[in-house]
């Protein structure tokens, strides 16, 4: 699925990167509110579902090259975060759904978790 | 090649810039992207530890044919029990930092997993030096 499908499934608001949604293909996602967990377990090009909205989440996305971020529970990030994401061409979506439901909807639609896909992993 | 970047304590809007510069520098040098990813994750964890747990310090990147070396050097309270600090889940991060998503107690274990070698020297009430080495594959 692409990010546009994700947006429609979650009835999400687009905060950044609307022009990119159709072209970014998503193969896996990860849901977490802990930065070290995201760094340790999220694969490249994954979609992150999170309740964290501070600027460090954009830094994290930059380090591991995420494809996009979905903010859950209707938690709107600050303008500084949206600006930073636009600079990095990182799409941001906002859904009112809680984390568990957001994950469930995408998983049911066929989006895999980061531990299920074999990419170049290092143990 | 050597690059030295200062890191401020508790400056959360600048935090992450050092790791970002390290990443961009390695990309410019044409280093393998999977290797860059490991260096970037480990450097970001080390930088955040300086921001959160110390009074400030610096990140030093050195690249030669054999190795990419990242040093994180700070002044501050230091680590009293290194073995305990290395345990997954151990954290003394304050609540306001936990609210930002830090404090899982996974930073040092992540650094160990990403780096090919990790050395930590710490003196209580003086500071901490973390040295991470990554075999340069190019
Ligand atoms: N540079 C440092 N100076 C002083 N204490 C440190 C330093 N780095 C780590 N520590 C101590 O070691 C503990 C574990 O560090 P670690 O990076 O593994 O976890 P954390 O920073 O608490 O949480 P996380 O990295 O998952 O956000 C810290 O909580 C802190 O007590
Ligand atoms: Mg840490």
């Amino acid at each position: 699925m692409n990010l546009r499908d994700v947006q429609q499934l979650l009835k999400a608001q687009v905060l950044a990167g609307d022009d990119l949604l159709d072209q970014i293909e998503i193969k896996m996602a990860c849901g977490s509110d802990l930065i070290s967990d995201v760094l340790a377990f999220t694969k490249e090009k994954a979609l992150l579902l999170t309740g964290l909205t501070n600027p460090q989440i954009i830094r994290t996305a930059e380090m591991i090259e995420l494809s996009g971020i979905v903010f859950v529970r209707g938690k709107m990030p600050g303008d500084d975060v949206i600006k930073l994401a636009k600079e990095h061409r990182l799409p941001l979506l906002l859904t009112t759904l809680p984390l568990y439901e957001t994950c469930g909807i995408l998983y049911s639609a066929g989006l895999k978790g980061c531990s299920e896909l074999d990419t170049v992993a290092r143990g | 090649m050597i690059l030295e970047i200062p890191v401020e304590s508790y400056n959360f809007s600048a935090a992450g810039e050092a790791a970002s510069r390290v990443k961009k520098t390695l990309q410019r040098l044409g280093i393998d992207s999977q290797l860059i990813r490991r260096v970037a994750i480990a450097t970001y964890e080390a930088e955040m530890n300086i921001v959160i747990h110390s009074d400030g310090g610096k990140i030093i990147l050195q690249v030669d044919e054999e190795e990419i070396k990242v040093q994180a050097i700070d002044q501050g309270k230091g680590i009293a029990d290194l073995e305990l600090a290395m345990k997954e889940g151990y954290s003394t991060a304050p609540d306001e930092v936990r609210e930002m998503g830090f404090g899982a107690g996974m930073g040092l274990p992540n650094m160990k997993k990403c780096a090919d070698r990790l050395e930590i020297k710490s003196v209580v009430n003086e500071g901490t030096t973390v040295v991470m080495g990554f075999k340069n594959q190019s």
Side-chain angles (χ1 to χ4, degrees), chain A residues 34-37 39, chain B residues 45-55 72-82 84-94 97-98 101-111 120 122 127-130:
Chain A
L34 289 170
I35 288 186
S36 281
D37 268 358
L39 289 168
Chain B
E45 292 282 17
E47 179 180 3
M48 291 318 301
N49 278 356
I50 296 179
V51 173
I52 295 167
H53 305 293
S54 88
D55 300 336
I73 302 171
D74 70 52
Q75 289 76 49
K77 65 179 184 311
I79 304 174
D81 186 340
L82 260 179
L84 185 60
M86 289 302 299
K87 279 217 174 83
E88 292 190 4
Y90 176 80
S91 174
T92 61
V97 172
R98 284 175 196 269
F102 298 102
M106 291 299 292
L108 289 169
N110 272 358
M111 283 147 68
I120 304 174
S122 191
T128 303
T129 297
V130 177

Side-chain angles (χ1 to χ4, degrees), chain B residues 51-72:
Chain B
V51 173
I52 295 167
H53 305 293
S54 88
D55 300 336
K58 59 190 170 187
I59 298 278
I60 302 171
L61 170 71
Q62 272 169 285
V63 183
D64 63 35
E65 269 148 51
E66 272 100 62
E67 195 179 57
I68 298 168
K69 184 159 114 180
V70 176
Q71 287 172 276

Side-chain angles (χ1 to χ4, degrees), chain A residues 35 42 54 56 62 64-65, chain B residues 12 20 23 37 44 100-101:
Chain A
I35 288 186
T42 307
N54 64 79
Q56 289 311 313
E62 182 194 352
I64 56 178
E65 288 171 25
Chain B
F12 285 94
S20 172
K23 184 175 180 183
R37 190 180 152 86
Y44 181 71
M100 284 186 263

Side-chain angles (χ1 to χ4, degrees), chain B residues 27-47:
Chain B
Q27 279 169 334
R28 225 177 301 121
L29 292 173
I31 306 288
D32 170 75
S33 69
Q34 286 303 318
L35 177 56
I36 292 180
R37 190 180 152 86
R38 284 197 280 127
V39 179
I41 291 174
T43 305
Y44 181 71
E45 292 282 17
E47 179 180 3

